Amino acid sequence: MDKPCCRGVVRSAEGLKGAVTNIGNELPFYYTAPTEGEKNLGVIVVHDIFGSSIPNCRFIVDFLASNGFHAAVPDFYRGKQWAEDGGFGPDFGAWFGPWMTPEYWGGAFKTDFQAAADELKAKGAQKIACIGFCWGGKAASVAATLDGVSAAVSLHGVAHDASSVEAAKCPLLFISPAGDEYFPEEKHEEIRKYFKEHPEKKGDMKTYQGVGHGFVSRPGDTEEGKKRSDEAMNETVDFLKAQLTTEAKM
């Protein structure tokens, strides 16, 4: 990926229900408690390249909490996110590259993800899932390879192919727009084929028409944009509840 994605409307923070604390090794952690249901399921949300302090992902945490999940978005970048007004060019590539390396996924990401999972378990979550947006979608597929993760969802994620499903240890759902340059449709078909040929792997590949990259976390101000974003999030909640409330075996 050689340029920033997920551009769009940044929501006002007014109305947010959660709070930020530091956990583990001083990891900033926005958390909202569940307001209904059995309150024993947890979801870790992974932000896009602009980090966790933008209210958009925090509202998604609040939405998940309203559906019965212990929900949180840690700041995996620890304040080193790409600037909202950051430009294109080699500076972006130099910034982005280290966040996509095996060393990062197997080191700092794994450590911070485990700290977040432990915190949600301490609050009462018995099973842990992960969802993510853009770069966070890739992170969600990496989380699916970790022990103790029961389900994962990538929403307009990046850098996916059949190997993402092959490596997963839990059910994995992809929701992506048609025509997304960061996750081309030929990769959608590759993933669908892999699921079909490997029925022991649970999950799905959903391609949304008429929307663009970032349509869930950055839906814009149109009623249609908000409708499609809500549709994707409701599909995400349904998938998570189906997987986390059953003993899905891989």
Side-chain angles (χ1 to χ4, degrees):
M1 199 163 84
D2 60 0
K3 60 184 178 181
C5 53
C6 283
R7 298 285 191 187
V9 173
V10 177
R11 296 184 62 177
S12 165
E14 184 177 355
L16 285 171
K17 301 181 184 304
V20 178
T21 58
N22 285 349
I23 65 168
N25 185 25
E26 296 300 307
L27 175 67
F29 182 85
Y30 176 86
Y31 167 77
T32 308
T35 56
E36 63 174 39
E38 295 184 11
K39 304 180 181 180
N40 61 355
L41 307 176
V43 182
I44 297 168
V45 177
V46 188
H47 49 74
D48 62 24
I49 62 171
F50 299 107
S52 69
S53 60
I54 291 175
N56 298 40
C57 278
R58 295 183 177 187
F59 277 108
I60 286 168
V61 167
D62 289 355
F63 171 77
L64 292 167
S66 73
N67 279 273
F69 297 97
H70 291 274
V73 55
D75 181 7
F76 287 98
Y77 291 162
R78 294 176 177 267
K80 298 178 181 178
Q81 67 273 2
W82 188 249
E84 183 68 22
D85 59 355
F88 301 155
D91 287 348
F92 177 77
W95 171 85
F96 186 69
W99 300 111
M100 291 290 283
T101 63
E103 290 77 16
Y104 172 72
W105 296 126
F109 175 76
K110 184 176 180 180
T111 298
D112 286 346
F113 187 91
Q114 188 60 57
D118 289 345
E119 184 71 14
L120 292 186
K121 289 177 181 177
K123 293 179 181 298
Q126 296 175 11
K127 292 186 178 181
I128 300 296
C130 179
I131 74 170
F133 305 90
C134 179
W135 171 85
K138 173 64 176 179
S141 71
V142 173
T145 71
L146 302 178
D147 293 334
V149 178
S150 296
V153 182
S154 167
L155 297 116
H156 44 81
V158 301
H160 295 305
D161 56 26
S163 67
S164 304
V165 183
E166 182 180 11
K169 296 180 180 179
C170 67
L172 181 56
L173 172 64
F174 302 88
I175 294 176
S176 183
D180 188 346
E181 64 178 297
Y182 306 105
F183 184 10
E185 284 186 73
E186 57 264 29
K187 298 300 183 182
H188 297 197
E189 293 306 317
E190 180 182 310
I191 287 171
R192 286 192 184 94
K193 181 180 179 183
Y194 192 89
F195 274 127
K196 184 176 181 180
E197 293 176 350
H198 298 82
E200 75 280 5
K201 291 288 187 178
K202 306 302 180 184
D204 205 351
M205 174 72 241
K206 297 295 185 73
T207 303
Y208 276 51
Q209 302 293 330
V211 294
H213 187 82
F215 80 98
V216 183
S217 58
R218 303 278 191 116
D221 288 329
T222 68
E223 288 303 315
E224 182 63 21
K226 293 174 182 176
K227 176 182 176 183
R228 300 307 302 281
S229 175
D230 288 346
E231 180 183 344
M233 281 308 303
N234 287 330
E235 187 163 12
T236 295
V237 166
D238 289 345
F239 177 80
L240 294 179
K241 287 187 173 180
Q243 304 307 324
L244 271 65
T245 57
T246 61
E247 293 296 325
K249 301 295 184 180
M250 296 301 294

